[in-house]
Amino acid sequence: MDSKYTFALRKIALLGGIEDYVVLSSRELGDALEMSQQSASKRILELLDEKLIIRDLGARKQRIKLTQKGIEELKQEYGEYRRIFEISDQITLHGAIADGMGEGRYYVCQMGYMAQFEEKLGFRPYEGTLNVVVDREDVSKLDIIRSAPGEAITGFTQDGRSFGGAIAHKSKIRNIECAIIIPERSHYDNVIEIVCQYHLRRTLSIGNGDRLEIKVKV
């Protein structure tokens, strides 16, 4: 995305435009962006065209708010800056073990996935996943992980059923090699699924509620 749009979104967000509408005239935005009122008015129209903001003109004063697309653009920039200044080659996540939806075993056992895991991760996963609820303060790190390349697991069709793709990120738990699996379509923003060649609950003697530290390669 054009950096001039990101800069404008950042200024609007700093005024509170993520949580709610903010009253913001073209002159005020121009002052924040160090440009003329006319240029600021044009920038607002550009942001509207790109569907990065929405505007309410019903109360005589202009009210602006970032769209979800605009928020995602800022999150991407945030992740890139964190990778530059804070992160070397790994991210550490903290969280607690929880029960999953019971689907991990079914999906991991599909040969279309299993063969790719062996090839790209270097191990054949145990038939199931370990689910971890990530601590609130670490949830923002998941956006950085999602923006990292990882190992692409390609979707496929089997017996008339479609299986979606995912990205696998090599990881370690207590020096045991494993991987976080990020599906293309996920039900949760704060839950990660982990595959490993070992049955992690038995190998590490852990259970629901126990806390883990996961080091993720990026």
Side-chain angles (χ1 to χ4, degrees), residues 74 99 118 132 143:
L74 284 185
D99 280 329
E118 281 194 272
V132 176
D143 292 322

Side-chain angles (χ1 to χ4, degrees), residues 44-210:
I44 289 172
L45 294 177
E46 291 171 343
L47 295 175
L48 287 167
D49 287 341
E50 294 291 330
K51 295 181 172 53
L52 298 169
I53 63 170
I54 50 178
R55 180 170 62 170
D56 176 18
L57 298 173
R60 289 189 297 178
K61 290 187 176 181
Q62 177 173 255
R63 299 166 69 237
I64 293 173
K65 180 182 179 181
L66 270 64
T67 62
Q68 189 58 43
K69 179 182 177 182
I71 293 171
E72 292 303 321
E73 292 290 349
L74 284 185
K75 282 184 176 181
Q76 182 175 340
E77 185 180 60
Y78 169 70
E80 290 172 352
Y81 276 117
R82 288 196 65 175
R83 291 184 70 183
I84 291 170
F85 293 110
E86 298 180 21
I87 300 163
S88 54
D89 61 347
Q90 70 177 26
I91 293 174
T92 301
L93 297 174
H94 301 86
I97 299 170
D99 280 329
M101 299 175 64
E103 298 179 342
R105 173 184 288 271
Y106 173 74
Y107 285 102
V108 170
C109 288
Q110 300 301 318
M111 285 308 301
Y113 288 133
M114 189 69 78
Q116 293 186 73
F117 290 150
E118 281 194 272
E119 176 188 353
K120 298 180 180 182
L121 301 179
F123 61 80
R124 184 179 182 87
Y126 168 79
E127 297 175 352
T129 61
L130 180 71
N131 291 268
V132 176
V133 179
V134 177
D135 291 350
R136 180 180 299 178
E137 55 267 30
D138 281 355
V139 169
S140 64
K141 297 179 182 178
L142 292 177
D143 292 322
I144 303 172
I145 294 170
R146 292 186 181 103
S147 68
E151 300 288 342
I153 307 299
T154 307
F156 58 93
T157 301
Q158 181 174 300
D159 298 327
R161 179 171 179 178
S162 296
F163 293 83
I167 302 294
H169 298 273
K170 294 181 179 180
S171 309
K172 282 187 178 182
I173 299 176
R174 302 183 195 172
N175 288 322
I176 293 178
E177 300 284 347
C178 57
I180 289 177
I181 305 299
I182 308 280
E184 288 178 348
R185 298 181 296 274
S186 178
H187 298 290
Y188 304 103
D189 293 329
N190 65 334
V191 176
I192 56 175
E193 294 183 79
I194 300 170
V195 295
C196 180
Q197 61 183 312
Y198 307 111
H199 187 305
L200 285 170
R201 287 178 181 257
R202 286 202 299 258
T203 301
L204 299 176
S205 299
I206 51 178
N208 287 357
D210 288 341

